[in-house]
Amino acid sequence: MDASPTDSSHHIALAHFDPGTATDTEWARLNAYRKLRAGEDFPGEATLPDAEFLRDVQTPHPLRESRRTLALCQGECVGNMILFYRRAGTEHFEEHAPFVDVWGGVSQKHRRQGIGRLLLAELLAFMQQQGKTTASWKVHLPESHAFMAACGAQARLRSVQSRMLIAGLDWTELAHWQARVGKIAPTLEWEIHAGRIPFARLAALDAPLSDLVNQQPLGTVAMPRMRYSLAGYERWYADMDTRGGDHFMVLLRQGDEVVAVCDANWDARFPERAYQELTAVAPIWRGKGLAKAVKAAMLQLLRTLKPQVQTVITLNAETNAAMRAINQRLGFVVHREEATYQLSHDALASWLAG
């Protein structure tokens, strides 16, 4: 870890954290900080054990790189910034090259002391060195929204995370949602995967799933085209093989055409939860109840194969009225509201200069 003083008035030093060379003391300091921040920003949520966190951070990703910066005050970590960006030389790198995703923050008792500004100065230096033009954040706390607005970032997409208790579901109604497919669209075929999807099938699904995910409401976020990739699945499945987990996918097909999809995942480290991912229907098939059908089939799959699951968690764009209406009918309740902000290199430089 390479630390250098940056603000003598507050005795703050910024340090780059290298997961490959960090000492036990440096890991302990980072773990203490991440647990503190988790309690402040996500009260009541479970956090990863230290060994699991270390493994996650040290496992390389095939498509992206990361860079971690810590803000230190008298040996204590009081702030951090994590940058995620596309790995050079990977497929479609040129599309991703201008963008960097930013995560992090400052502990509550050290806020409003200029630490966030110091971290953003570090971000600007990185963007200049790497030729990045756009930085993106996802935030949910009122003070985070205020900080984003203060530095000139624009809210490009507003989303809601919703949660539902499985115990409250009406399984008779869900069975009816599934059964209606045979009456409304008798030519459609079901395809269901539980645990793992064969890699050969995932490779064939990359293109149609990429088309569907890019048809979702995405606000005004500047971003490269979202793509599913076999390399990403291989890394994710290897991770699940190590820590325990399952991937579920329900499809409705018209021949080789993917008409509707719903997928979810289960993490053995948080066995009482399932995470609902993409639910989408091809445009010409919308308005026929197919989203409800695949969601119902997915929930029945979880009920049968993962009876320990009590809560299902999902994320939707605030403007996705159709999907949110289905979720509300199922019993999903908004847990928190989020926003994706973006800030250009030039706007960040101007704010720091001011």
Side-chain angles (χ1 to χ4, degrees), residues 145-157:
H145 288 287
F147 182 75
M148 290 286 96
C151 64
Q154 301 295 313
R156 300 295 188 183
L157 174 66

Side-chain angles (χ1 to χ4, degrees), residues 83-262:
L83 307 180
F84 294 102
Y85 49 99
R86 188 75 166 196
R87 188 179 297 278
T90 57
E91 191 175 14
H92 307 297
F93 170 74
E94 292 76 13
E95 291 181 36
H96 292 260
F99 301 99
V100 57
D101 291 326
V102 187
W103 296 82
V106 178
S107 61
Q108 286 182 355
K109 70 177 183 179
H110 290 92
R111 291 174 187 168
R112 306 186 68 82
Q113 298 177 24
I115 299 172
R117 176 179 284 269
L118 294 177
L119 290 168
L120 289 192
E122 182 77 2
L123 168 63
L124 179 63
F126 171 84
M127 294 177 74
Q128 292 171 336
Q129 293 164 4
Q130 299 291 326
K132 307 296 183 185
T133 61
T134 305
S136 304
W137 290 260
K138 182 180 286 187
V139 306
H140 72 280
L141 295 173
E143 55 267 40
S144 301
H145 288 287
F147 182 75
M148 290 286 96
C151 64
Q154 301 295 313
R156 300 295 188 183
L157 174 66
R158 296 191 182 276
S159 307
V160 293
Q161 187 198 97
S162 302
R163 302 186 177 192
M164 178 200 68
L165 296 177
I166 280 188
L169 285 171
D170 182 342
W171 295 104
T172 301
E173 182 179 21
L174 267 60
H176 177 64
W177 288 4
Q178 288 181 255
R180 289 187 68 229
V181 173
K183 299 176 183 179
I184 297 171
T187 60
L188 296 185
E189 299 176 277
W190 289 94
E191 179 181 337
I192 296 176
H193 299 277
R196 298 289 187 276
I197 304 169
F199 286 130
R201 183 59 179 139
L202 286 171
L205 289 171
D206 280 353
L209 293 185
S210 296
D211 287 341
L212 287 171
V213 75
N214 282 282
Q215 292 164 2
Q216 306 304 296
L218 299 172
T220 59
V221 177
M223 60 189 294
R225 175 178 169 82
M226 291 187 289
R227 291 182 174 90
Y228 288 84
S229 74
L230 190 58
Y233 275 120
E234 288 172 343
R235 195 265 189 185
W236 186 35
Y237 278 15
D239 180 57
M240 284 196 290
D241 289 342
T242 300
R243 52 138 167 110
D246 287 307
H247 182 206
F248 302 92
M249 183 175 289
V250 174
L251 301 162
L252 280 171
R253 293 184 292 104
Q254 173 87 296
D256 292 334
E257 176 194 2
V258 176
V259 169
V261 61
C262 182

Side-chain angles (χ1 to χ4, degrees), residues 2-13:
D2 176 28
S4 56
T6 57
D7 188 322
S8 59
S9 63
H10 294 105
H11 306 289
I12 299 296

